Amino acid sequence: MSPAYILKRIVLVGYTLLVVSLIVFAITQILPADAAVMMLGENATAEALSALRAKMGLDASIWAQYGHWLAGVLRGDFGVSMRTGQPVGPVMMEALGRSLLLALFSIVLMLVLALPLGIIAAVRRGRIADLLVSVISYIGVSLPEFVTATLVVLVLADWLQWLPATGYVPLTENPLQGLRHLVLPVLTISVILIAHVSRMVRSELVDVLHTDYVRAARLKGLPKRTVLYKHALRNALLPTITIVALDIGYLLGGVIVVEEIFALPGIGRQLIVAIQSRDLPSIQAGALIMAATYAIASFLADIAYARLDRRIQYD
């Protein structure tokens, strides 16, 4: 792996996060909320409000406030919540850990199911297996998260009563109950991911199987399994990696809906509560942390892409 390529991607991630921080800070500044009034209450005196604004630096210029906030973020200090009076950083990072756990299980389930389904559909193109995979994929892509969530709750939690419908139990406290509470949210998120990725794998693998170098490998007498997994699948997975990275963005957006439906205390639910209560530091922290997570996921996807196709490093 070229160090120059890695450095270039790191610089791009840093530049992206800097722009995102500007946008997030600017949006929160135009929201109709006064931090001093929210912390002291509407009955606070003008002197008390002025003193708190001076203490928090709210009487400084916008650029000075942004610089002070950004310096705190770089130190890991996201400020104090207007709603609870507690530091925002630890709360958001704990919530992020829960969301990442949900996303990790969803991605693992997606890879375990989507790759074999896509391969089977491509190898058996035009047959019943291909048709079934295509139908399942179209249904999965068509269902929004709240519909899928309703269906899995009705079937698995209400009718069959196999799993709890809502709630969260930390895995450190009770691993079995924690996993049981995660099953329905993971299934809800994974449905559209499996549908999306399996279609992509099938489409790319069909194209690769008709290329000249795959035909040449077959003419050499190589076993079908070797041709498929060593030559065809490796190149078919390149666009799939990009799609998986883009699906991280879907996860960050879709997880907000899923966490609210299943009452999971993840970063999406924390962000919703912050928006409802106009808790500006929590909104800023939540939005920036989610953007940073997406940027890091994209960076890792670029590295994986470059590992599979070394020509990327020199573009």
Side-chain angles (χ1 to χ4, degrees), residues 232-249:
L233 188 60
R234 180 186 180 93
N235 290 285
L237 287 179
L238 292 177
T240 305
I241 292 174
T242 303
I243 295 299
V244 171
L246 293 176
D247 281 336
I248 300 296

Side-chain angles (χ1 to χ4, degrees), residues 194-221:
I194 293 170
H196 195 194
V197 174
S198 63
R199 287 181 62 190
M200 175 59 65
V201 172
R202 185 246 183 220
S203 175
E204 294 297 327
L205 189 56
V206 166
D207 291 340
V208 172
L209 288 174
H210 289 82
T211 56
D212 292 337
Y213 71 88
V214 171
R215 293 194 186 96
R218 288 170 175 167
L219 291 174
K220 289 180 180 178

Side-chain angles (χ1 to χ4, degrees), residues 7-27:
L7 180 61
K8 180 181 177 181
R9 308 313 298 180
I10 292 175
V11 170
L12 182 59
V13 169
Y15 175 76
T16 301
L17 292 179
L18 179 62
V19 173
V20 170
S21 70
L22 276 168
I23 295 173
V24 169
F25 186 82
I27 291 176

Side-chain angles (χ1 to χ4, degrees), residues 237-278:
L237 287 179
L238 292 177
T240 305
I241 292 174
T242 303
I243 295 299
V244 171
L246 293 176
D247 281 336
I248 300 296
Y250 157 76
L251 277 174
L252 295 177
V255 80
I256 296 177
V257 178
V258 173
E259 287 177 356
E260 187 66 16
I261 292 174
F262 291 101
L264 288 174
I267 193 168
R269 198 158 189 241
Q270 290 287 347
L271 189 57
I272 289 178
V273 172
I275 293 172
Q276 291 173 342
S277 59
R278 295 182 181 178

Side-chain angles (χ1 to χ4, degrees), residues 17-62:
L17 292 179
L18 179 62
V19 173
V20 170
S21 70
L22 276 168
I23 295 173
V24 169
F25 186 82
I27 291 176
T28 53
Q29 291 304 303
I30 63 177
L31 290 177
D34 189 323
V37 172
M38 294 190 66
M39 295 184 71
L40 297 180
E42 295 181 357
N43 297 325
T45 63
E47 293 78 10
L49 292 173
S50 297
L52 183 58
R53 290 190 184 102
K55 181 180 179 180
M56 298 177 63
L58 298 178
D59 55 351
S61 66
I62 294 296

